[in-house]
Amino acid sequence: MARDPKYDILFEPIKIGPKTLRNRFYQVPHCIGAGSDKPGFQAAHRSIKAEGGWGGINTEYCSIHPESDDTHRVSARIWDDGDIRNLSAMTEHIHKHGSLAGVEMWYGASHAPCMESRCTPRGPSQYASEFEMQTYCHEMDQDDINEVQQFYVEAAKRSRDAGFDIIYVYGGHSYLPLQFLSPYYNKRTDKYGGSIENRARFWVETLEKVKNAVGDDCAIATRFACDTLYGEDSIEIERDGLKFVELADPFIDLWDVNIGDIAEWGEDAGPSRFYQQGHQLTWQKFVKTVSKKPVLGVGRFTDPEKMTEVIRSGQLDIIGAARPSISDPFLPNKIDEGRVDDVRVCIGCNVCISRWEIGGPPFICTQNATAGEEYRRGWHPEKFPKAGSEDSILVVGAGPSGGECARVLMERGYTVHLVDQAEKIGGYVNDVATLPGLGEWSYHRDYRETQLEKLVKKNKNSQIALSAKPLTVDDCLEYGADKVVIATGSSWNTDGTNAATHDPIPGIDASLPTHVTPEQIFAGKKEIGKNVVILNYDPYYMAPSLAEKLAGDGHDVTVVSAAPFGHYMHFTLEAPNMHRRMHEMHVNILGDTAASRAEANRLEIYDVYGDGSVREYRGPGKLPRNENKTHRWIEFDTLVLVTGRHSNDELYRGLKARKDEWKDNGIKDVYVIGDAWAPKLIADATFEGHRLAREIEEKRAQYPKPYRREVATWGAPHMPGGEYEIEYQN
Amino acid sequence: MKILVAIKQVAILDDEFEMLDDGRDVDHDFCDYEINEWDDYSLEEALLIKERSNSESEVVVLTVGPEQSEDELRKCLAKGADRGIRVWDDAIEGSDQVAIARIIACVVEKEAPDMVFLGVQASDHAFAQTGMTVAAMLGWPHAAVVSSLDYNSGDNHATLKRELEAGLEEEIAIDCPAVLSIQLGINEPRYASLRGIKQAAAKPVEDLSHTDLGLNDNDVGEAGSVSRIRKMYIPERGHAELIEGTSAEQAKRLAEIIKEFRGV
């Protein structure tokens, strides 16, 4: 199908300095965990987007000097010739598809703790980072300013040599240039402090120097947090924000505008729990009233209608995207080809970001199982190897794992029967998406539902059997499938079994009318009393979500939390507003508190650190610490059990127990994936389904094939022509 | 015991479609095909009776349709039907529900089943006439819109419930053989297993033409029909107007529209 002409504006080229962007789809700098040390990962992940139609694609933040070292978080680096070599792989592969490659030159000041380089970062004034509270910077004098500006210039030249078309001076997320601009950081009294002109001086001078050095060859961009959301203590769009745009505009070819800071950058990378598509526009749209240069901005834009409206109404010139480009690297091409219903829409869960926040691991995506696997596993998001056999495959369970497995198997051309008791594809996601703020998570189901419905029409022997009778072990054995995939998910524990004690909690029993599991709440068959206690041993969203839901329904909610409450939501940037909401809704959170036993209407709780601090050997049968005497009872009308999950693996284990009957029934192998194997993130369950579908012809397909590793190699020095042997100073 | 189940392959329209140049049908390039939803239920009802039966029993599926409709027969065979019959030739093209019923009635006479099941209606043309026309042509006992059936192999009569208007139900007893049109929801249709699909490939499907059934050219196609489609089209719809502007401007426009409608 052809593109809908109403989206033509998204495909109009636009000039940025000496370069031309081929359309209005632009992947802003975002982290993936590749940096400069995993060049294959970097090159493949970025260039797959060029293939998918993105006109411009950037690195993540790219350090210009060892003084800006964010270890353990993974940034790119353009410190030396070794980095030029590694990042060149990215630019070469992007250029093959006619797109522009950009680099985001970054100096973090005290936000970068320099744990690898052991350097001391420099900043406009001395302060401890509000993000890395243990890290202080050294206040720059004029010599320092000249030197750091020269770091940018030298890094820009290296970037040009690495083949980059767009060179950023990064001042979003409160990194160095913004620290000069903002009185929140900048307490100087010289020509770099005080008035807006003085505070803008460092940034404007840096832009001018970089432009003079590489501006004939490369477009100069800046990422600017045009409002830091602190009110008049920092940058406000209609005050210093627009004045800065005016001052810097002559030295800039492209504005990349966002809001917020680093300590709470979920205000920029807004999770769908709190922010919808285009949530920054009320700030971003001012920039074009002042600037004469192209302006781009992010806002989790996934809908071409919205993108078109944003450009037509003159709010932005170019659609910036990080998460939507991860979720669907082929988003532009799908719009171009009139296949909008094939777009794998970002659900805004921020699990991608969580991996950067954790520091170290490669990123993952809940929607796109191939994200980050392009190079090391050779997975293309839209291309699948042809079926390796005539085998027909029964997939039991149409949740995230089974649904994805069936989708990829069908893409490969296998005959697949996907069976689920529920009337809809989606499994657990159908419940989770009913939680407050998580409605957009249902896009995970919607994508698979749409694709599966299309794919099943391509093979008349394939079938999607919903509202099906539960399959027994006998049913599976006699089904006539060559291979059976069990994706039956997991359930919340009904007896209080938890991560701390690994045992049930005496008295907890979800068959009681006053004790309920999350599934029982979703089912809506048990009455919830006024006074609710949530017992939480899970560090992610379930307890905060149920607290919000139940408090919103008018219940008085207390959370007894043995796990750090909503801890993983710090990594997904959901935590700050989640805590604000708990506060607004008067949810009472008892942290570091666990439960020892329960009755129908009361729970015995204790402080987890209530036992003795002195540890000593006291003989067999005696604990090495003084007894915990903090135990006390609290009452409830309803006890909600967020204590832990267990696999629904009866069917899998039943089939394994009758392995000797497989052959006679024509079954070659049986697999278990997703939560049925072990409970996990939706992203990981999706990945497992995808992986099995790609590797199902392997001899032991239950277990992943080794992936291609990218590691520093003994005998190959990082610096071209450098030394790798052990050498000591004399 | 033998039950004959007549099924139809129906077209499902894509979101966008075009009409044929003669304006009498949708361009089939824009269609997907599937079994008529009602027929899933009549097949299931037949399979349940067969499964309850202690004596030898057979479920035969019949369709009147071109080669591609064999796909639907095979799906029925995969679910457990024993054999299929497909009647088609060029002369049958253009048959209306009466001509189709005439063909089905001929197959019934040839097969001499104990029961004939059809869906209440087909989801594409929705005439809801074929079943009862077959009964009329055969002169057999019949019941339309059957929502519950008590019948076992070897019985010489059946007790059944029919859906009437306004939520009423009618319970009747009927002598067999009979022609029943089966309503949605009478049972829960099964899915085929992969084993069933593999076995279905080897089950017999007999292809017949109208002459094989002793029919003349005048009995089928447009010649054998009592109606013909003159035109198929999307009726023109009224349109909505989005009233924009300030509250005052909106109120003014609304007043204008009301005046227009009142003809003031």
Side-chain angles (χ1 to χ4, degrees):
Chain A
M1 292 234 310
R3 180 208 307 165
D4 189 324
K6 69 184 172 188
Y7 303 139
D8 283 353
I9 197 167
L10 300 172
F11 294 88
E12 283 176 16
I14 184 168
K15 212 159 156 45
I16 50 168
K19 301 285 180 179
T20 301
L21 195 67
R22 64 175 159 122
N23 59 31
R24 306 305 175 92
F25 297 94
Y26 185 94
Q27 181 239 279
V28 296
H30 72 76
C31 291
I32 59 175
S36 305
D37 295 350
K38 291 188 168 62
F41 177 6
Q42 183 71 271
H45 177 72
R46 305 298 180 183
S47 63
I48 201 75
K49 294 178 187 174
E51 187 187 332
W54 297 84
I57 299 117
N58 285 275
T59 61
E60 59 272 66
Y61 65 150
C62 182
S63 170
I64 57 172
H65 190 274
E67 275 179 24
S68 187
D69 161 27
D70 218 15
T71 308
H72 54 310
R73 292 178 288 264
V74 180
S75 77
R77 292 166 171 177
I78 186 86
W79 293 353
D80 54 37
D81 289 350
D83 294 332
I84 293 178
R85 177 196 56 220
N86 281 7
L87 289 176
S88 297
M90 169 186 159
T91 60
E92 274 171 32
H93 282 271
I94 287 174
H95 290 157
K96 281 181 191 164
H97 300 283
S99 300
L100 301 181
V103 60
E104 187 182 42
M105 296 200 301
W106 166 73
Y107 189 100
S110 65
H111 301 322
C114 293
M115 289 196 274
E116 177 190 311
S117 68
R118 306 186 77 173
C119 291
T120 295
R122 296 180 246 197
S125 300
Q126 185 168 70
Y127 49 81
S129 163
E130 72 281 8
F131 180 58
E132 283 285 347
M133 292 189 168
Q134 230 169 206
T135 310
Y136 293 76
C137 52
H138 172 75
E139 182 177 317
M140 294 193 209
D141 63 17
Q142 184 65 51
D143 290 340
D144 292 316
I145 287 173
N146 296 344
E147 196 167 14
V148 171
Q149 286 179 333
Q150 196 58 28
F151 292 167
Y152 280 97
V153 170
E154 298 303 324
K157 290 178 184 167
R158 287 192 292 272
S159 298
R160 177 193 54 197
D161 295 347
F164 286 103
D165 309 286
I166 304 166
I167 296 189
Y168 271 70
V169 174
Y170 178 21
H173 304 119
S174 293
Y175 289 123
L176 181 68
L178 191 117
Q179 293 171 24
F180 269 93
L181 191 68
S182 167
Y184 172 71
Y185 299 100
N186 185 341
K187 314 293 182 189
R188 301 175 75 95
T189 53
D190 63 359
K191 66 175 184 177
Y192 291 95
S195 68
I196 175 67
E197 287 77 11
N198 283 359
R199 284 182 278 118
R201 193 178 313 279
F202 175 87
W203 199 336
V204 173
E205 282 178 358
T206 305
L207 284 166
E208 191 175 3
K209 287 180 180 181
V210 169
K211 194 171 181 63
N212 287 340
V214 299
D216 291 343
D217 303 321
C218 306
I220 308 302
T222 212
R223 201 182 207 177
F224 173 41
C226 67
D227 197 311
T228 51
L229 309 174
Y230 299 175
E232 58 187 12
D233 293 338
S234 185
I235 309 302
E236 290 183 299
I237 177 65
E238 291 190 86
R239 293 183 171 179
D240 290 356
L242 288 184
K243 277 183 201 148
F244 175 70
V245 173
E246 228 174 281
L247 293 166
D249 209 45
F251 309 103
I252 278 178
D253 299 315
L254 178 65
W255 284 99
D256 179 347
V257 188
N258 64 354
I259 58 169
D261 61 4
I262 185 63
E264 224 185 278
W265 72 285
E267 298 306 300
D268 168 37
S272 62
R273 179 184 288 269
F274 299 110
Y275 295 113
Q276 291 187 330
Q277 178 172 229
H279 66 99
Q280 308 190 36
L281 282 168
T282 41
W283 288 272
Q284 289 163 322
K285 67 180 182 187
F286 284 100
V287 177
K288 269 188 65 65
T289 64
V290 171
S291 172
K292 297 181 177 66
K293 304 294 173 64
V295 178
L296 72 88
V298 293
R300 202 159 45 78
F301 294 111
T302 54
D303 174 9
E305 299 276 348
K306 181 73 179 175
M307 299 178 196
T308 304
E309 177 212 315
V310 165
I311 294 179
R312 280 207 190 286
S313 59
Q315 300 181 76
L316 297 171
D317 298 300
I318 298 162
I319 299 300
R323 293 168 291 166
S325 76
I326 299 166
S327 182
D328 197 339
F330 279 65
L331 186 148
N333 281 3
K334 288 176 182 176
I335 296 170
D336 192 24
E337 292 160 9
R339 298 196 293 129
V340 174
D341 62 335
D342 287 334
V343 172
R344 198 166 38 244
V345 178
C346 171
I347 68 171
C349 66
N350 283 5
V351 159
C352 49
I353 289 165
S354 73
R355 298 302 160 115
W356 178 81
E357 281 280 333
I358 288 167
F363 83 144
I364 56 176
C365 175
T366 303
Q367 270 282 46
N368 176 12
T370 68
E373 308 296 348
E374 298 90 351
Y375 180 79
R376 65 177 189 174
R377 287 191 159 91
W379 290 0
H380 189 289
E382 304 293 322
K383 292 179 187 164
F384 304 89
K386 285 227 154 49
S389 70
E390 296 282 304
D391 288 347
S392 58
I393 298 156
L394 168 65
V395 180
V396 186
S401 202
E404 178 73 354
C405 188
R407 178 182 81 85
V408 176
L409 287 169
M410 286 191 200
E411 287 277 13
R412 294 191 62 188
Y414 287 97
T415 294
V416 180
H417 278 208
L418 177 63
V419 182
D420 201 297
Q421 291 169 245
E423 60 185 25
K424 270 186 95 62
I425 283 163
Y428 189 48
V429 170
N430 287 320
D431 286 338
V432 170
T434 66
L435 290 168
L438 299 191
E440 291 193 43
W441 290 27
S442 63
Y443 299 156
H444 187 280
R445 170 201 63 216
D446 294 347
Y447 172 71
R448 276 146 200 93
E449 192 172 46
T450 304
Q451 297 305 309
L452 284 163
E453 282 172 4
K454 286 187 185 188
L455 286 162
V456 78
K457 288 180 190 161
K458 291 185 182 169
N459 179 343
K460 61 188 176 189
N461 290 333
S462 286
Q463 181 172 275
I464 301 168
L466 299 172
S467 301
K469 294 188 184 84
L471 292 178
T472 63
V473 172
D474 283 318
D475 292 336
C476 291
L477 285 171
E478 292 160 14
Y479 198 88
D482 297 299
K483 292 183 170 177
V484 180
V485 179
I486 304 299
T488 42
S490 64
S491 299
W492 287 91
N493 296 336
T494 58
D495 59 2
T497 298
N498 62 82
T501 66
H502 298 178
D503 271 323
I505 295 171
I508 286 185
D509 178 3
S511 68
L512 294 170
T514 53
H515 295 190
V516 300
T517 62
E519 282 106 343
Q520 289 172 342
I521 292 177
F522 295 131
K525 288 183 184 152
K526 274 188 172 178
E527 198 174 328
I528 310 293
K530 175 76 176 162
N531 178 19
V532 170
V533 169
I534 298 175
L535 178 59
N536 180 47
Y537 286 79
D538 180 89
Y540 198 8
Y541 59 85
M542 188 54 73
S545 295
L546 289 176
E548 181 176 346
K549 174 186 165 66
L550 295 172
D553 291 346
H555 302 275
D556 296 330
V557 179
T558 296
V559 184
V560 172
S561 201
F565 182 69
H567 183 64
Y568 199 84
M569 296 167 84
H570 285 282
F571 306 134
T572 59
L573 313 182
E574 293 166 292
N577 286 322
M578 180 273 285
H579 283 292
R580 289 185 180 109
R581 190 145 303 172
M582 292 298 114
H583 189 76
E584 284 167 358
M585 301 183 102
H586 306 292
V587 173
N588 178 26
I589 299 163
L590 304 175
D592 290 333
T593 308
S596 41
R597 55 188 167 139
E599 294 173 0
N601 286 100
R602 60 179 195 153
L603 182 71
E604 189 185 56
I605 61 172
Y606 63 96
D607 300 339
V608 296
Y609 298 119
D611 53 352
S613 66
V614 176
R615 182 208 67 184
E616 57 193 356
Y617 183 67
R618 294 168 177 178
K622 288 175 183 156
L623 287 169
R625 296 180 194 278
N626 283 349
E627 190 189 346
N628 191 330
K629 291 182 177 167
T630 59
H631 294 67
R632 60 201 185 275
W633 289 93
I634 58 169
E635 297 191 339
F636 57 78
D637 300 322
T638 299
L639 178 67
V640 179
L641 305 170
V642 189
T643 63
R645 295 188 282 167
H646 62 274
S647 295
N648 300 330
D649 58 2
E650 301 80 6
L651 189 57
Y652 175 70
R653 296 204 181 274
L655 281 163
K656 277 300 284 281
R658 292 168 66 180
K659 199 170 181 177
D660 56 341
E661 296 172 49
W662 293 2
K663 201 173 171 193
D664 289 345
N665 285 288
I667 294 175
K668 295 177 184 169
D669 212 345
V670 175
Y671 313 97
V672 60
I673 54 173
D675 279 5
W677 195 3
K680 48 180 63 77
L681 293 178
I682 296 170
D684 288 326
T686 309
F687 167 83
E688 269 173 18
H690 193 107
R691 185 205 60 78
L692 178 65
R694 289 205 184 239
E695 297 181 354
I696 197 148
E697 297 297 336
E698 297 296 321
K699 197 161 180 208
R700 296 190 77 219
Q702 176 68 39
Y703 302 97
K705 274 170 70 177
Y707 52 85
R708 187 155 49 147
R709 296 172 65 208
E710 287 188 273
V711 291
T713 307
W714 181 251
H718 168 70
M719 287 294 279
E723 188 49 71
Y724 68 89
E725 290 287 2
I726 299 169
E727 284 180 345
Y728 295 104
Q729 285 186 316
N730 290 317
Chain B
M1 195 262 329
K2 184 197 284 186
I3 301 175
L4 184 88
V5 181
I7 64 153
K8 183 180 182 188
Q9 184 181 54
V10 294
I12 328 161
L13 286 185
D14 289 344
D15 294 341
E16 288 172 29
F17 58 87
E18 289 174 17
M19 307 302 292
L20 288 174
D21 291 341
D22 67 4
R24 293 177 56 201
D25 203 351
V26 172
D27 184 338
H28 287 229
D29 287 351
F30 296 90
C31 293
D32 282 324
Y33 296 92
E34 65 179 17
I35 190 168
N36 175 41
E37 192 181 0
W38 276 264
D39 302 343
D40 271 335
Y41 291 84
S42 39
L43 174 68
E44 179 67 27
E45 202 58 25
L47 294 175
L48 291 171
I49 293 162
K50 174 181 147 91
E51 283 166 357
R52 284 200 302 269
S53 166
N54 297 320
S55 58
E56 195 170 317
S57 47
E58 189 182 32
V59 173
V60 180
V61 275
L62 159 69
T63 195
V64 181
E67 197 174 345
Q68 66 186 22
S69 58
E70 187 181 321
D71 288 352
E72 310 315 330
L73 287 180
R74 292 280 169 204
K75 284 177 193 163
C76 295
L77 298 175
K79 289 181 180 181
D82 298 287
R83 63 186 168 89
I85 300 169
R86 185 176 68 85
V87 186
W88 193 254
D89 54 58
D90 291 347
I92 297 174
E93 183 85 45
S95 295
D96 74 351
Q97 63 277 15
V98 170
I100 298 286
R102 187 172 290 122
I103 295 167
I104 294 173
C106 282
V107 176
V108 171
E109 279 171 346
K110 182 166 173 281
E111 288 287 330
D114 299 278
M115 275 289 198
V116 177
F117 294 168
L118 306 90
V120 166
Q121 63 179 50
S123 56
D124 50 2
H125 287 132
F127 287 123
Q129 291 183 355
T130 311
M132 292 308 100
T133 309
V134 169
M137 286 172 169
L138 292 166
W140 281 19
H142 55 270
V145 202
V146 174
S147 58
S148 166
L149 175 63
D150 183 3
Y151 171 78
N152 286 304
S153 170
D155 290 355
N156 50 23
H157 72 274
T159 312
L160 57 85
K161 288 181 185 163
R162 296 181 56 225
E163 264 181 34
L164 303 179
E165 282 77 9
L168 283 175
E169 274 196 344
E170 179 183 63
E171 189 173 308
I172 61 171
I174 194 167
D175 289 336
C176 304
V179 177
L180 308 183
S181 80
I182 304 290
Q183 176 62 314
L184 301 177
I186 188 173
N187 52 43
E188 278 183 47
R190 71 194 63 193
Y191 290 100
S193 69
L194 281 161
R195 174 152 301 165
I197 289 170
K198 286 169 187 170
Q199 289 168 346
K203 287 183 180 175
V205 171
E206 187 182 5
D207 287 338
L208 299 174
S209 66
H210 72 285
T211 51
D212 294 335
L213 294 168
L215 289 166
N216 298 318
D217 286 0
N218 287 337
D219 297 326
V220 297
E222 290 193 3
S225 297
V226 297
S227 62
R228 102 181 243 287
I229 295 170
R230 290 178 56 211
K231 189 178 168 192
M232 199 181 279
Y233 60 98
I234 300 168
E236 268 187 46
R237 288 187 197 145
H239 62 278
E241 180 184 335
L242 195 64
I243 305 176
E244 290 177 333
T246 63
S247 303
E249 286 163 357
Q250 290 181 25
K252 191 176 163 216
R253 178 67 194 131
L254 189 61
E256 281 171 14
I257 293 170
I258 292 167
K259 279 181 195 159
E260 275 171 36
F261 269 87
R262 290 176 62 203
V264 179

